[in-house]
Amino acid sequence: MRVISVWFCFVLVSFTAHAQSPGSLEQTDAYIKIWGLLKYYHPTVCAGSLNWDSVFVAQLPQVTTATSPDQFNQQMTDWIRSLGDLSTRPALPTEYDRQINFNQPHDWFASTPILSTATVALLKDVVRYRHTGPKQYVKIQSPGIAVVQNEQPYADIAYPTESYRLLALARYWNIIAYFFPYRYLTDQPWNEVLTTLIPPIRDAKNATAYLQTLRVLAAKVNDSHSRMIGNPHRVKVLEEANFYLPIQATVIDRKLVITGFRHPATAESLGLQPGDAILTIDQDSIPSRIARYAPLLGASNQAVVHRDVAEYLIWQATDSAVVTFQRGNQLLNRTVRLATLGEFRDEGNPVSSKPAYSILAENVGYINIGQLEASQVKKIFRKLKKTQGLIIDLRTYPKSFLSYPKLCNCLSTASTRFVKYLYPNLSYPGTFRASVNYCGQQRDRPPYAGKIAILVNEYTQSMGEFFAMAFRTLPRSTIIGSQTAGADGDITTIPLPGGYRVLMTGSGIYYPDMRPTQRIGIVADRAVAPTIEGIRQGRDEILERAMHYLKEP
């Protein structure tokens, strides 16, 4: 994968290779922040009377060529004043509820050294006299989803000019700054991300370098929802990678462990088996490949890095590869023929193929949330209510959001708060409002009598994590499995120049006491994860642990 490495190294080197114009960098950084504040706060801009993209592009040259901080600040104050007098508007409070708002939307006022006292005073006035009505570039859709609107994708330009590449950065950075509820949880402080990414996106030499830099940018939010869409194939960003090893796999102990085959008929011809632990592909070690691709992944935690990077590890630029792997105590090599991009098959999550419900050995009920329709719940519960125990499998994405309240009502006789839901406050962008959700209804009848095991793993994401929080409140319930994806909340889509779209988590999900789930995920009461030996034997070790738990007194 030499071509991939070259482009990725270009991005990394660019982060530190442009110290020759610190003034221009500092001015661009401050300009992007001011442009974003005006976009979501200033009445003139919020009303939609200006094409704010065009304003960004038109003003950028004079910003980057300002010869001193004084000249730059004069440009900014003149610009802000040209948008209209705010003093006739009513002044609004600038405090917000810090019990539910952990982001600090205007922390950059103090941490951007180039800004003068006069410029900061004007910015604070924009906040104080802000627009509180409908906004041109964002709206809230029920139940509280931030919807980015009226943003041009410039899809006909695969390689935007420098001004439009920086516009992409400005647009994305500010949407995260004001509407991503978990901005405070990113590994790299968000203000630093902007400074870090200006040089590589400004200096991207072609469409591939631009796209790779966008991928790095999207990964900086450390959000498992964050991914680029808009390409013919989501991994084709790996240039020249037209062939793949037709396996399904996961990462365990920094080895690529085969869990199945995308073309079962080819399993024998490959000479590989489930449980084989791949160490190198063409002498390129799996740990080095993980280190190379992980920075391109939007991942809340290491469990998701291992989940998603496995797909990247199987792609090659050549039609065959030498695979070195462990099988038990043996160290083996195979030269294998790779499949082509046109033959690519995503077999999906193996849990998805299980039925919506069944009765397992020893009268244990089983529900697969990935196949369960809300309309089936009452009928299924009539068949499962006399089982000795119940397993609810959340290791795949739920098929129906409405199945969770119906299951809660069937399994519980009380109404219990299980989540605090945060959604953007458009009257004060960068802050959030809160509502609560409940599991179950108060009813005068006995609850389900058996124990309940809730199965989770790294594929338990978003709605699945929301369901796990609800079902955890059920009587005699226990969560069993491994770390979940740590990305719970509704998705917001961000269009970017070049025709790309990036996803992010647009609402915040917390426990009622405001303990977070983002990045952490839903912590299992009984931790268990697949092992290489268990995969080799074809066992479902999480399900086995659940069966054992249900037998316990």
Side-chain angles (χ1 to χ4, degrees):
M1 304 294 269
R2 186 171 300 166
V3 176
I4 305 166
S5 302
V6 169
W7 285 121
F8 185 52
C9 288
F10 167 80
V11 172
L12 293 181
V13 170
S14 295
F15 290 169
T16 55
H18 298 276
Q20 68 269 26
S21 54
S24 175
L25 174 59
E26 192 176 16
Q27 288 155 199
T28 304
D29 176 278
Y31 173 60
I32 286 173
K33 293 170 181 173
I34 294 170
W35 177 84
L37 178 79
L38 297 175
K39 180 176 184 176
Y40 297 118
Y41 276 76
H42 201 286
T44 302
V45 184
C46 292
S49 57
L50 295 171
N51 183 323
W52 209 232
D53 287 358
S54 297
V55 170
F56 179 91
V57 171
Q59 291 209 149
L60 187 61
Q62 68 177 20
V63 166
T64 57
T65 57
T67 57
S68 68
D70 287 345
Q71 184 182 6
F72 169 77
N73 278 283
Q74 189 63 54
Q75 291 173 352
M76 294 299 99
T77 55
D78 289 348
W79 177 34
I80 295 168
R81 291 188 178 108
S82 74
L83 294 174
D85 181 14
L86 297 176
S87 62
T88 59
R89 297 177 60 84
L92 299 170
T94 57
E95 289 300 312
Y96 50 88
D97 185 355
R98 294 176 186 270
Q99 298 298 312
I100 62 171
N101 287 284
F102 304 114
N103 294 339
Q104 298 180 44
H106 309 123
D107 53 354
W108 57 271
F109 287 3
S111 63
T112 308
I114 197 174
L115 296 180
S116 68
T117 302
T119 302
V120 171
L122 278 178
L123 296 175
K124 288 181 177 179
D125 280 347
V126 172
V127 174
R128 187 177 297 111
Y129 300 110
R130 63 188 176 271
H131 178 82
T132 58
K135 297 206 168 18
Q136 172 71 1
Y137 294 105
V138 67
K139 66 179 180 180
I140 297 298
Q141 180 176 294
S142 180
I145 305 169
V147 177
V148 175
Q149 62 179 2
N150 299 320
E151 297 282 19
Q152 290 298 317
Y154 306 104
D156 56 332
I157 311 172
Y159 176 48
T161 62
E162 178 182 321
S163 296
Y164 281 88
R165 296 196 301 273
L166 286 169
L167 172 65
L169 175 60
R171 183 186 291 177
Y172 182 81
W173 188 89
N174 280 290
I175 288 171
I176 296 297
Y178 292 108
F179 304 109
F180 181 51
Y182 306 114
R183 177 171 68 92
Y184 70 100
L185 290 174
T186 58
D187 285 343
Q188 184 178 15
W190 197 239
N191 290 327
E192 291 181 14
V193 169
L194 179 58
T195 308
T196 302
L197 269 292
I198 287 171
I201 206 159
R202 177 191 64 198
D203 301 323
K205 301 301 183 184
N206 54 39
T208 300
Y210 169 62
L211 178 54
Q212 290 288 69
T213 310
L214 289 183
R215 292 185 69 86
V216 173
L217 171 62
K220 289 287 187 180
V221 296
N222 304 119
D223 177 19
S224 299
H225 276 142
S226 180
R227 62 186 177 91
M228 298 279 299
I229 55 179
N231 282 339
H233 190 279
R234 72 184 181 93
V235 298
K236 191 60 182 79
V237 66
L238 306 182
E239 288 298 312
E240 305 299 327
N242 291 315
F243 303 92
Y244 74 100
L245 186 62
I247 61 171
Q248 292 177 285
T250 189
V251 174
I252 299 177
D253 297 332
R254 297 177 67 78
K255 303 169 186 174
L256 185 64
V257 181
I258 298 173
T259 58
F261 297 90
R262 295 176 187 271
H263 298 284
T266 68
E268 185 174 342
S269 63
L270 289 174
L272 301 173
Q273 300 174 5
D276 287 347
I278 298 174
L279 307 179
T280 68
I281 301 175
D282 279 346
Q283 299 183 324
D284 187 8
S285 74
I286 296 304
S288 69
R289 288 187 170 217
I290 292 173
R292 190 156 65 243
Y293 302 138
L296 302 177
L297 300 174
S300 298
N301 52 47
Q302 198 65 21
V304 176
V305 170
H306 287 168
R307 180 194 76 186
D308 291 351
V309 80
E311 180 129 322
Y312 289 75
L313 301 181
I314 65 176
W315 289 87
Q316 285 284 106
T318 56
D319 62 1
S320 67
V322 177
V323 177
T324 302
F325 60 96
Q326 286 180 333
R327 179 179 293 164
N329 295 323
Q330 296 178 288
L331 184 63
L332 302 171
N333 290 287
R334 292 280 189 277
T335 299
V336 299
R337 188 190 73 80
L338 305 183
T340 66
L341 178 64
E343 299 172 309
F344 182 80
R345 285 172 51 183
D346 188 350
E347 298 294 329
N349 188 328
V351 174
S352 302
S353 61
K354 295 184 178 183
Y357 76 99
S358 59
I359 296 179
L360 307 179
E362 302 186 52
N363 196 29
V364 169
Y366 173 86
I367 292 176
N368 175 11
I369 211 73
Q371 294 291 338
L372 182 66
E373 297 278 8
S375 59
Q376 297 176 290
V377 171
K378 286 187 177 180
K379 174 184 175 183
I380 288 173
F381 186 68
R382 285 196 293 269
K383 297 183 178 182
L384 299 181
K385 66 181 179 180
K386 294 185 178 179
T387 52
Q388 294 299 308
L390 179 63
I391 293 172
I392 303 176
D393 201 336
L394 297 179
R395 295 175 296 170
T396 186
Y397 201 78
K399 189 170 187 178
S400 169
F401 180 76
L402 293 179
S403 62
Y404 103 81
K406 293 193 174 185
L407 277 171
C408 284
N409 292 342
C410 288
L411 295 168
S412 176
T413 57
S415 180
T416 307
R417 283 197 313 167
F418 72 91
V419 75
K420 188 166 281 189
Y421 177 92
L422 269 59
Y423 57 96
N425 175 12
L426 291 194
S427 295
Y428 195 166
T431 68
F432 293 81
R433 292 173 169 153
S435 62
V436 296
N437 288 70
Y438 293 82
C439 177
Q441 293 179 346
Q442 196 72 36
R443 295 190 179 189
D444 186 19
R445 59 168 174 76
Y448 176 72
K451 292 197 292 186
I452 301 171
I454 303 155
L455 310 190
V456 299
N457 66 4
E458 67 274 14
Y459 288 95
T460 307
Q461 178 167 321
S462 195
M463 193 191 301
E465 292 175 295
F466 188 87
F467 280 27
M469 296 171 74
F471 298 153
R472 182 171 239 159
T473 67
L474 297 172
R476 306 185 73 195
S477 66
T478 293
I479 294 181
I480 298 173
S482 56
Q483 186 175 29
T484 66
D488 197 351
D490 298 300
I491 293 175
T492 293
T493 303
I494 306 169
L496 296 178
Y500 299 106
R501 291 175 291 158
V502 183
L503 307 183
M504 76 168 192
T505 303
S507 53
I509 301 295
Y510 293 80
Y511 288 101
D513 61 2
M514 288 304 294
R515 283 179 295 131
T517 61
Q518 181 75 5
R519 304 204 65 181
I520 299 168
I522 309 303
V523 179
D525 301 303
R526 301 193 177 201
V528 57
T531 64
I532 294 174
E533 184 60 28
I535 292 170
R536 182 178 295 115
Q537 296 172 4
R539 295 163 49 202
D540 184 340
E541 292 164 282
I542 294 177
L543 182 63
E544 289 176 5
R545 183 67 173 270
M547 293 291 287
H548 179 76
Y549 158 72
L550 294 176
K551 293 178 187 176
E552 293 174 2

